[in-house]
Amino acid sequence: MKDWTIIRERYMRDPLPVRLGSLAANLSRIKSFSADENSREAVASLIDESKMFIEWTAAQAEINTAVLMVDVQVQLALWQIRWDRIWKDPTQRKQIAEQSGRWSKQILELSGLLK
């Protein structure tokens, strides 16, 4: 089990744009790892970590960014509820990959790191 306290302390040291970039990177990893049926646990872990990143960061983000982040967090939680069924279905895994990729791009753009 992860020690969320240590992870949070490390994550919160970074400025907001870098934290958003970390979230975008996690979402991109979800996209790429979802293609491999053997990456179930890695993707599940990335979903957990991404939800925590959002929890720790959304309140400090601009309102439009925070709204997107909360929407992402809700969807990630819904995926977790149906995780066994989702992972067994290649079509649903592909949908997760595509959605995660879209979110990653949106959050990376909102982070300002691309400027």
Side-chain angles (χ1 to χ4, degrees):
M1 180 136 175
K2 290 185 178 186
D3 185 341
W4 291 113
T5 303
I6 292 171
I7 294 168
R8 183 181 190 281
E9 287 174 6
R10 170 62 193 101
Y11 181 75
M12 295 302 288
R13 280 188 230 143
D14 289 329
L16 181 62
V18 173
R19 284 185 269 152
L20 293 173
S22 295
L23 174 59
N26 266 13
L27 293 168
S28 184
R29 286 183 195 101
I30 291 170
K31 177 186 177 188
S32 63
F33 290 1
S34 291
D36 180 2
E37 188 176 340
N38 297 317
S39 295
R40 180 183 189 275
E41 294 305 315
V43 174
S45 178
L46 286 165
I47 288 172
D48 272 339
E49 188 173 79
S50 297
K51 285 175 38 190
M52 298 304 287
F53 285 0
I54 293 167
E55 183 74 23
W56 301 330
T57 304
Q60 298 169 346
E62 293 197 17
I63 190 71
N64 292 338
T65 303
V67 167
L68 172 61
M69 292 172 71
V70 170
D71 287 346
V72 170
Q73 187 179 44
V74 168
Q75 187 59 55
L76 293 174
L78 291 172
W79 288 349
Q80 285 179 315
I81 291 168
R82 301 184 328 261
W83 191 241
D84 288 334
R85 281 181 278 147
I86 288 171
W87 196 257
K88 291 176 186 175
D89 183 346
T91 301
Q92 290 186 52
R93 276 201 328 268
K94 183 178 178 185
Q95 291 170 346
I96 284 174
E98 290 169 354
Q99 184 60 57
S100 296
R102 285 190 295 271
W103 287 332
S104 176
K105 287 178 185 177
Q106 285 178 288
I107 291 171
L108 188 58
E109 286 174 14
L110 292 169
S111 75
L113 293 172
L114 298 176
K115 295 177 183 176

